[in-house]
Amino acid sequence: MAVHTQSISTDEAFEAGLAALERLPGDPDAGFFGPSSMMWQVGRESLSFLGAGAAILLQTAHPFVAQAVADHSKALTDPIGRFHRTFRPVFAMVYGTRAQALAQARLVRGVHRRIRGRMPETVGRFPAGTPYAANDADALFWVHATLWHTTIAVAERMRGPMSTADKDQYHTETARFAALFGIPPSLLAPDWAGFEARFAAMANSDMLGLGAAGRLISGHFFDHRAGPLGRVIPDWYRHLTASLLPASLAAAYGLSEGEDVDQIWRRMSLLYRALPPALRLIGPYREARYRLQGRGPGLLTRTLNRAWIGRPRLDPVP
């Protein structure tokens, strides 16, 4: 069995990445992306979160990620709180000012620095006893990749194919997000096609695998015999989730697309198009647009933010 030579994202490389971001031209109040970015145009749509289940399963297919969640996270006992604690910094990095994004990047880095442990069993290429760390470069890249892969996959199923130029622009912008997490540039592809190739190679490699931690997490969310969430998630969502996973991983999780998954996607697209803008656009995006107009978030935006980040507005710079 291959033994993993751990590649840790160093604090020095992380700080160098942040310094490079600070030198980019642009309005600091617009953050590192801004209204014309694909990151804002795609990410503002609440439809992206139809892929949340697939992103969770993709991420926990990496043994380090699954074990870190099992050992250090309250995701199973407090899923809503965990969602807020995850996406509060993510949304600040995407929709906040540059100062907010950098502050959240350093806070997350500090949390990740403390998340370490050892694999209790052999999973994939990782023998029992292998040390894991949240700042493992490959694990960081995999979590990063699952977010963008599922976001684009859902967007194309709901709204139609995106152009190569738009996906390449989107990919270029995600490199800035990668820098906020200290992901080494050497792991990033030059364009969207290269990213997809790297994603597929990792998805079909022994870097991924399901151990006890991965099965515990996936069962909690998707097994109707397991936790409370597993009992209430409908079959149609299981089918959508399976359709967003590589076939090998869907099979490993015991999920299938079903015969009517294309029809389910069409129905969801029609339903989504019928929603009012207030429900289609996420709160942090609305707050960012108000900020660039010199205004604070209104009552509706503050209410939406409570759902998305657990509080009425993005965190100020500490």
Side-chain angles (χ1 to χ4, degrees):
M1 178 182 294
V3 177
H4 177 60
T5 302
Q6 195 169 51
S7 174
I8 297 295
S9 168
T10 66
D11 288 345
E12 291 79 7
F14 169 70
E15 289 295 341
L18 297 193
L21 288 177
E22 290 186 274
R23 291 192 293 270
L24 291 174
D27 179 3
D29 281 345
F32 291 110
F33 304 101
S36 63
S37 69
M38 290 302 299
M39 188 73 85
W40 277 32
Q41 295 302 309
V42 175
R44 68 184 181 178
E45 301 278 352
S46 59
L47 67 84
S48 299
F49 285 83
L50 277 174
I56 289 171
L57 296 184
L58 286 166
Q59 290 167 17
T60 54
H62 194 297
F64 286 5
V65 177
Q67 199 61 50
V69 170
D71 291 346
H72 299 276
S73 174
K74 296 180 180 178
L76 301 186
T77 57
D78 182 22
I80 294 176
R82 180 56 183 155
F83 176 89
H84 289 156
R85 289 189 295 275
T86 297
F87 281 95
R88 194 177 298 143
V90 166
F91 286 143
M93 293 179 201
V94 176
Y95 299 108
T97 65
R98 292 193 175 191
Q100 286 175 310
L102 293 169
Q104 289 298 318
R106 290 192 170 95
L107 286 173
V108 170
R109 182 75 182 185
V111 171
H112 280 180
R113 199 178 291 118
R114 300 191 294 271
I115 299 176
R116 293 176 173 271
R118 289 187 177 273
M119 294 298 298
E121 60 177 335
T122 296
V123 186
R125 70 171 63 171
F126 307 110
T130 300
Y132 72 78
N135 283 330
D136 176 82
D138 287 324
L140 280 172
F141 171 79
W142 180 246
V143 172
H144 167 84
T146 63
L147 292 175
W148 315 129
H149 185 272
T150 54
T151 295
I152 295 301
V154 170
E156 292 198 306
R157 282 169 171 81
M158 294 286 281
R159 302 171 63 186
M162 291 174 59
S163 70
T164 299
D166 282 347
K167 286 193 280 192
D168 282 347
Q169 180 184 337
Y170 186 74
H171 178 263
T172 298
E173 292 167 2
T174 65
R176 301 177 190 176
F177 189 87
L180 291 166
F181 278 85
I183 297 171
S186 60
L187 294 182
L188 306 180
D191 53 25
W192 184 260
F195 165 79
E196 288 278 37
R198 176 160 173 74
F199 180 90
M202 288 187 70
N204 292 290
S205 75
D206 62 356
M207 187 174 287
L208 305 186
L210 286 184
R215 291 189 177 91
L216 173 67
I217 296 164
S218 63
H220 184 85
F221 289 103
F222 285 95
D223 188 344
H224 65 275
R225 300 164 297 179
L229 286 177
R231 288 194 288 270
V232 300
I233 287 181
D235 284 340
W236 65 261
Y237 188 69
R238 289 185 175 87
H239 296 325
L240 291 191
T241 297
S243 73
L244 296 171
L245 297 175
S248 59
L249 282 180
Y253 282 117
L255 296 176
S256 65
E257 297 184 12
E259 297 179 357
D260 59 348
V261 68
D262 290 336
Q263 185 177 16
I264 294 172
W265 277 114
R266 285 193 293 271
R267 289 175 178 172
M268 292 304 298
S269 179
L270 290 173
L271 175 62
Y272 184 77
R273 293 170 189 271
L275 292 177
L279 297 180
R280 291 181 59 177
L281 304 180
I282 64 173
Y285 166 78
R286 293 169 59 92
E287 178 182 342
R289 292 307 302 252
Y290 280 126
R291 182 181 69 247
L292 294 180
Q293 296 168 11
R295 302 161 58 190
L299 176 60
L300 176 59
T301 299
R302 294 197 305 271
T303 302
L304 290 172
N305 273 347
R306 289 187 183 278
W308 289 105
I309 59 176
R311 54 189 62 178
R313 60 194 308 163
L314 296 171
D315 290 346
V317 179

